[in-house]
Amino acid sequence: MNRRPGFAELFAALPVAVLVIGPDDRIAHANALAEQMLNLSERVMTGQPLVAILPPPEGVEARDGYGFAVYDTEIATARGVRMRVDFVEAKIADHDGWRAVTLHHAANSRRLGQAPDRSAARAAVGAAAMLAHEIRNPLSGIRGAAQLLGAGELTRLITTEVDRIAGLIDRMQEFGDTRPLPVAAENIYPLLGHARGVALAGFARGVRIDERYDPSLPPARINRDALTQIVINLLKNACEAVRDERTPCITITTAYRHGFTRSAGQGHARVPLPIEICVIDNGPGAPADIADHLFDPFVSSRPEGQGLGLALVDKLVRDMDGIVQYGREGTPAATVLRLLLPRAGT
């Protein structure tokens, strides 16, 4: 008879490095992946001050009781090894003073929409956008010539395909726009309501879209049109993901998250990102072989997909100094696309 695994076995098998810290700021437990990343055994780390084994990321000085998250940061271990990680510290519910520290290797950062080097993909998209500009003129000539042929099945086929390619070119050229995106203090709720209404009136007709909002959320520092486009893209992506589910369901949530920050570049202060918007669906999630590349251009799990929707979301979110994350969370597991954005006045 198979024995149910206990807490110690489950903790050891977690696919993320975890340190459990007691009220005295000393390490109480470390799982196997933490031992591997820090190159120290749990026995050696237990009882040691956290700062002696794993100093906090640069710029993190005060803890306000809510924990914090620092993405794409460089840390130095007790043995002098430097690595780029996502460093997250969270308090443990119902255990005063206890907290957990998790480390994600930079190799996982693409899934979090935080790839440190996207220059090759950006260069490829830029070249494609320039090529698209050169293609547009002959396409117009082809469409005009087809219309001169008169009505017919062949003419309709030509014009339909030309229009489809022109639409794809329009989307590709959006990536070539490097102008700064104007941002302002905005109430996100009218924008979320508008995006939801657009979805329900069109591609999401017949799909339930629930709302779970934090009513006390302050204004965000965003671009109205960009955020609306982002949420519509995420809702469309979610609708496609749940189309084979018996009871398809999508949920939009908002929350205020203390301690989330991102790097603003060398020599600049980190940007706080407390405004959280999530689009959650009960679909199967991305295939494992592309999950780490969802935000790369031209990557799609659908044969008919163009692979530009999430890539454009990533670009627009970055243009507003935010980040977008993909994950599978909860029980049963649901797909979560999470936006983290700056609040107005920061």
Side-chain angles (χ1 to χ4, degrees), residues 64 111 121 137 145 242 251 254 256:
D64 57 10
R111 181 169 300 190
N137 288 337
V242 301
T251 304
T254 65
Y256 193 89

Side-chain angles (χ1 to χ4, degrees), residues 100-113:
V101 171
T102 62
L103 302 174
H104 300 255
H105 254 309
N108 293 330
S109 61
R110 283 185 181 270
R111 181 169 300 190
L112 299 176

Side-chain angles (χ1 to χ4, degrees), residues 72 91 102 141 226:
D72 188 23
K91 64 179 182 179
T102 62

Side-chain angles (χ1 to χ4, degrees), residues 187-202:
N187 179 355
I188 66 170
Y189 291 116
L191 308 180
L192 296 182
H194 176 73
R196 180 175 179 269
V198 169
L200 290 174

Side-chain angles (χ1 to χ4, degrees), residues 42-277:
E42 182 183 35
R43 182 179 59 81
V44 169
M45 289 187 280
T46 299
Q48 294 292 320
L50 176 62
V51 294
I53 301 297
L54 187 67
E58 184 178 351
V60 176
E61 298 173 355
R63 296 182 175 87
D64 57 10
Y66 293 100
F68 63 89
V70 182
Y71 296 101
D72 188 23
T73 187
E74 186 174 85
I75 62 170
T77 69
R79 295 196 169 182
V81 177
R82 304 191 72 85
M83 65 180 82
R84 295 204 74 82
V85 298
D86 297 327
F87 187 113
V88 181
E89 181 178 301
K91 64 179 182 179
I92 300 175
D94 300 324
H95 292 75
D96 289 343
W98 288 82
R99 60 192 194 275
V101 171
T102 62
L103 302 174
H104 300 255
H105 254 309
N108 293 330
S109 61
R110 283 185 181 270
R111 181 169 300 190
L112 299 176
Q114 280 291 110
D117 185 4
R118 300 284 292 279
S119 56
R122 297 295 181 198
V125 171
M130 287 189 290
L131 180 60
H133 178 74
E134 298 303 318
I135 293 173
R136 178 177 290 283
N137 288 337
L139 272 182
S140 298
I142 293 170
R143 196 182 196 285
Q147 289 175 325
L148 291 176
L149 294 175
E153 186 63 30
L154 183 58
T155 299
R156 284 195 295 272
L157 176 63
I158 293 171
T159 55
T160 298
E161 284 302 291
V162 167
D163 290 343
R164 183 182 65 82
I165 295 169
L168 178 60
I169 287 172
D170 287 341
R171 299 191 73 191
M172 290 171 61
Q173 287 185 315
E174 293 182 61
F175 290 96
D177 189 351
T178 58
R179 293 172 298 177
L181 193 63
V183 296
E186 299 284 356
N187 179 355
I188 66 170
Y189 291 116
L191 308 180
L192 296 182
H194 176 73
R196 180 175 179 269
V198 169
L200 290 174
F203 57 80
R205 188 177 287 111
V207 177
R208 197 176 89 217
I209 301 181
D210 294 336
E211 299 166 295
R212 295 206 309 266
Y213 293 161
D214 177 350
S216 63
L217 215 58
R221 194 178 78 231
I222 56 168
N223 179 278
R224 290 176 59 87
D225 293 340
L227 183 64
T228 301
Q229 184 63 53
I230 287 166
V231 177
I232 289 174
N233 280 18
L234 293 183
L235 289 173
K236 190 172 189 299
N237 192 72
C239 282
E240 291 165 351
V242 301
R243 61 186 174 186
D244 294 328
E245 297 298 317
R246 180 174 298 178
T247 55
C249 181
I250 298 169
T251 304
I252 308 173
T253 71
T254 65
Y256 193 89
R257 301 298 185 191
H258 296 265
F260 284 83
T261 67
R262 68 160 291 178
S263 172
Q266 189 171 4
H268 296 276
R270 300 190 69 88
V271 178
L273 303 174
I275 308 296
E276 178 190 86
I277 303 170

